[in-house]
Amino acid sequence: MAAAMPLALFVLLLPGPGGWCLAEPQRDSLREELVITPLPSGDVAATFQFRTRWDSELQREGVSHYRLFPKALGQLIAKYSLRELHLSFTQGFWRTRYWGPPFLQAPSDTDHYFLRYAVLPREVVCTENLTPWKKLLPCSSKAGLSVLLKADRLFHTSYHSQAVHIRPVCRNARCTSISWELRQTLSVVFDAFITGQGKKDWSLFRMFSRTLTEPCPLASESRVYVDITNYNQDNETLEVNPAPTTTYQDVILGTRKTYAVYDLLDTAMIHNSRNLNIQLKWKRPPENEFPPGPFLHAQRYVSGYGLQKGELSTLLYNTHPYRAFPVLLLDTVPWYLRLYVHTLTITSKGKDNKPSYIHYQPAQDRLQPHLLEMLIQLPANSVTKVSIQFERALLKWTEYTPDPNHGFYVSPSVLSALVPSMVAAKPVDWEESPLFNSLFPVSDGSNYFVRLYTEPLLVNLPTPDFSMPYNVICLTCTVVAVCYGSFYNLLTRTFHIEEPRTGGLAKRLANFIRRIRGVPPL
């Protein structure tokens, strides 16, 4: 009996069919990436991307175990049959004219589109939005590139935008099976020119107050890309320290770019110095201090006087010297700005520009905003002006914000276009190329897709004098208090008749003297 017990235990511990050696491969993966781009204005842009991909059809399979993909988002996809979701929080405005086209453009507010498009132009972005965003990362903020996400440094920047993008991705050409991709992005712009005492030098520690100490153990790829396009090896205009693992060249946003690549999964990269603090120093100013601006940028403003009527104007700039291209313009205007569609005018080079496509959906009071969508052809080297007049509505007194005199925000316009490229791009394998390369899909190599947002507008509405109710309330309360006090005293006070009392010894003596004198008594 004693000998049978070890044998039974041994049999129970034997692996079943399939064995331990045939363990199922992981169907999810994590790639993280940081792109650092010195801007022409002296600022430095840093773009984080964390991509989690899961080869699972969540809407068909009953999934109960989550490894890298957040369970909260996975349950959302399965329960509501989610097709696609994009949510972004942005503080500040990306200055396309001076900073160039961004990697990840977003409006200066909160926007999301889940079968619908919505914008909250006045939503404030703060630490409470960053903390749950970091908790969605497999390594949270403990290891990898996420250790640089320090709140007090990220929110003291000229521009800050964080986003969550969920979409299905086809696994094969016929798309018979799909994978779910979660892409978390964060873009910030540091004013390194001021913090560097008039120099364009920067480092990871100067920007984030931290350095990279170890890669995320769950990541299959963890890299840092530094834009060194202006680097001239012969003249040595700038110095990058430490030396990169390798370099990467590609056509990004129509121009050829060169990036220094730092692979955090390379053990020699971090273990030699126990941390990685990338530094860039300019030995002398670059020859081309202000490179040519982007071919497409836009500007929006409101004009007019008084509080009855006004005009919304959008300027579309095509700075390409000889090529024209179409732009899709999308505008959502609140219902309390009543648009006059017959006043819509589009002019280019002093001539009317008839749109190729136009769609307008009128607003409904307190239900939905105006929707205006147009396809406009922008001539080469031109400025196209799109303007429309509106009338301000009078809101109910309960619909005004606590500070109505500050004004009401109007969401920015959205521009989508295929912009001509200066350098022909070649088709690439998206799985093998960097993550930021997949943000600019190209059709024939001569164009690249760009989506831009204009500035949000601040419009004043007819506002009643909210001090008058306060004055009326004070006056009414005073009158009521005085009247009520008087009536209350009359109704509750008791009156008594006081009987005259006989006087004392002095009075009796006085009356005695008065009788002697023949005078009536007191």
Side-chain angles (χ1 to χ4, degrees), residues 52 54 66 68-75 135-137 182 184:
T52 305
W54 194 6
Y66 292 82
L68 299 180
F69 204 90
K71 185 177 181 179
L73 298 181
Q75 292 177 342
K135 291 182 179 179
L136 298 176
L137 299 174
L182 167 63
Q184 297 177 244

Side-chain angles (χ1 to χ4, degrees), residues 143-450:
L145 300 178
S146 57
V147 299
L148 301 177
L149 303 180
K150 192 176 180 181
D152 62 334
R153 299 296 297 175
L154 296 179
F155 289 102
H156 285 80
T157 54
S158 304
Y159 176 82
H160 172 275
S161 177
Q162 61 187 69
V164 174
H165 306 280
I166 303 176
R167 65 171 185 171
V169 180
C170 297
R171 300 188 205 174
N172 48 44
R174 296 184 178 181
C175 202
T176 56
S177 58
I178 62 173
S179 302
W180 284 97
E181 179 188 78
L182 167 63
R183 187 173 296 212
Q184 297 177 244
T185 62
L186 188 144
S187 300
V188 291
V189 175
F190 294 92
D191 196 346
F193 189 73
I194 295 179
T195 58
Q197 298 179 355
K199 299 181 180 180
K200 294 185 178 182
D201 303 342
W202 58 264
S203 66
L204 289 182
F205 185 79
R206 177 180 296 177
M207 293 188 296
F208 301 100
S209 295
R210 292 179 180 175
T211 58
L212 297 173
T213 56
E214 60 178 339
C216 176
L218 300 175
S220 59
E221 181 180 309
S222 181
R223 295 178 180 177
V224 178
Y225 293 85
V226 179
D227 188 355
I228 56 173
T229 305
N230 294 327
Y231 174 71
N232 191 333
Q233 189 174 4
D234 297 332
N235 299 329
E236 294 184 356
T237 56
L238 60 83
E239 177 183 357
V240 182
N241 187 32
T245 306
T246 183
T247 58
Y248 174 79
Q249 291 186 355
D250 205 343
V251 178
I252 304 298
L253 294 172
T255 58
R256 187 169 299 279
K257 297 286 186 177
T258 303
Y259 295 91
V261 184
Y262 297 86
D263 190 356
L264 299 186
L265 297 182
D266 186 0
T267 56
M269 179 59 62
I270 294 181
H271 290 175
N272 290 342
S273 58
R274 297 185 180 180
N275 61 57
L276 177 61
N277 182 26
I278 303 176
Q279 302 178 11
L280 186 143
K281 296 181 179 180
W282 291 90
K283 294 186 177 181
R284 66 173 182 273
E287 297 178 358
N288 191 4
E289 185 73 15
F290 295 98
F295 288 148
L296 175 64
H297 62 275
Q299 182 183 0
R300 196 184 191 198
Y301 60 92
V302 59
S303 59
Y305 59 90
L307 293 177
Q308 182 180 3
K309 295 182 179 180
E311 185 178 73
L312 293 176
S313 301
T314 305
L315 300 180
L316 309 178
Y317 295 86
N318 176 14
T319 60
H320 200 284
Y322 55 87
R323 287 194 60 178
F325 55 87
V327 171
L328 184 63
L329 176 65
L330 174 64
D331 264 335
T332 55
V333 182
W335 64 267
Y336 45 77
L337 299 182
R338 308 190 187 281
L339 298 181
Y340 295 146
V341 184
H342 70 280
T343 64
L344 176 64
T345 58
I346 305 174
T347 57
S348 300
K349 295 183 176 180
K351 299 180 180 180
D352 292 338
N353 189 342
K354 186 178 180 180
S356 307
Y357 162 81
I358 184 170
H359 169 71
Y360 173 70
Q361 181 178 343
Q364 298 182 19
D365 289 356
R366 300 171 180 84
L367 292 180
Q368 68 179 23
H370 302 270
L371 177 63
L372 181 61
E373 190 175 17
M374 297 176 289
L375 184 62
I376 306 173
Q377 186 76 13
L378 303 184
N381 197 16
S382 66
V383 180
T384 302
K385 181 180 180 180
V386 181
S387 60
I388 185 171
Q389 296 180 8
F390 65 89
E391 182 179 359
R392 297 171 172 90
L394 184 63
L395 305 180
K396 297 179 181 179
W397 72 276
T398 55
E399 295 175 343
Y400 286 91
T401 57
D403 52 347
N405 293 310
H406 178 75
F408 292 78
Y409 284 89
V410 180
S411 59
S413 301
V414 185
L415 283 75
S416 304
L418 287 175
V419 181
S421 176
M422 297 178 59
V423 182
K426 299 180 180 179
V428 296
D429 186 1
W430 303 122
E431 290 300 322
E432 299 297 332
S433 62
L435 293 178
F436 67 86
N437 208 342
S438 62
L439 300 174
F440 319 109
V442 293
S443 55
D444 55 356
S446 61
N447 302 297
Y448 61 93
F449 178 77
V450 169

